[in-house]
Amino acid sequence: MSKTSERCRLVLIAPEIADPAERAKVLADALKGGDVASVIVPQYGLDDSEFQKHAELLVPVIQEAGAAALIDGDTRVAGRAKADGLHISGNAEALGEAVEKHTPKLIVGGGNAADRHHALEIGEVRPDYVFFGKIDGDIKPDAHPKNLALAEWWASMIEIPCIVMGGTDPQSALAAAETGAEFVALRLAVFGEPGQAPSVVAAVNALLDEKAPRFED
């Protein structure tokens, strides 16, 4: 089997499940399906104390599976839960402040760049990765064409890794990989039917192993 580091890898967006123990179980099962580089944990409208509770259950589950746990937006929750990093969905200024404060102790990335100009502004603050799309932006089977086009342009020019938000169809991971992006993020494609999550993760990894382009050294 090929080394996963030579091709686009999977990033999971943790599912929206109100019960923290159930959410942790669904995520733990999904992570048994195969290679996952990192998991982004969104707040999904939880209040801060509930979000803290969720993060403290999810972070160890993610780390035990060998993935990086990235908390969306809340630096205090990330610190208390001993997460590996922060995902910042805001503008370049917000991302720049987080990079300045928290790297290299934490992984800090994010974006949601709507066009090339914004992407370059985000790149200037030197995050660990740039994210094309919104973490809840998987509303169609395919990844958004604009995000794919931006990722292809970015990957051909810029060394900072990028993550592309995929669609609700697990097969959308391949289109993201074909842009040259280092990572593809999936949410509903994996967790739409939680019981299927491990087999979907396995299938996406098999697809990427077989068909994703290899990175040159």
Side-chain angles (χ1 to χ4, degrees):
M1 195 159 131
S2 66
K3 291 178 188 163
T4 53
S5 59
E6 291 173 0
R7 50 98 171 144
C8 181
R9 294 179 70 196
L10 183 56
V11 169
L12 295 181
I13 311 292
E16 183 172 8
I17 297 171
D19 177 70
E22 175 65 15
R23 195 178 182 197
K25 184 188 179 305
V26 167
L27 190 53
D29 286 347
L31 289 163
K32 289 173 189 158
D35 178 66
V36 172
S38 58
V39 180
I40 297 171
V41 181
Q43 189 158 353
Y44 288 134
L46 295 168
D47 67 33
D48 289 351
S49 68
E50 275 297 305
F51 189 32
Q52 182 71 52
K53 204 184 291 181
H54 278 244
E56 284 174 3
L57 271 180
L58 296 181
V59 166
V61 164
I62 296 163
Q63 291 170 339
E64 279 161 24
L70 309 176
I71 298 294
D72 180 31
D74 196 314
T75 55
R76 285 168 307 178
V77 168
R80 290 183 196 135
K82 298 184 171 61
D84 300 287
L86 276 169
H87 178 84
I88 306 291
S89 296
N91 58 18
E93 194 182 345
L95 187 53
E97 283 172 18
V99 167
E100 207 171 300
K101 264 190 201 168
H102 300 290
T103 60
K105 192 176 169 230
L106 294 176
I107 298 164
V108 180
N112 181 22
D115 53 41
R116 291 184 178 194
H117 173 70
H118 284 110
L120 290 171
E121 279 186 349
I122 288 163
E124 278 170 16
V125 305
R126 309 296 299 171
D128 291 303
Y129 64 85
V130 170
F131 193 98
F132 290 111
K134 295 181 177 175
I135 56 177
D136 58 355
D138 51 344
I139 50 175
K140 293 185 175 172
D142 297 322
H144 196 296
K146 183 181 75 176
N147 295 331
L148 293 175
L150 280 168
E152 190 165 359
W153 160 77
W154 182 270
S156 69
M157 282 180 43
I158 315 278
E159 284 188 6
I160 298 168
C162 68
I163 304 175
V164 187
M165 188 68 211
T168 56
D169 183 341
Q171 297 278 330
S172 66
L174 185 58
E178 285 168 345
T179 67
E182 287 83 358
F183 304 96
V184 55
L186 295 179
R187 186 179 65 122
L188 296 176
V190 171
F191 298 110
E193 290 185 36
Q196 300 295 314
S199 55
V200 175
V201 169
V204 170
N205 270 298
L207 177 70
L208 295 175
D209 272 340
E210 187 187 348
K211 296 188 174 172
R214 294 318 189 242
F215 300 129
E216 294 163 18
D217 290 333

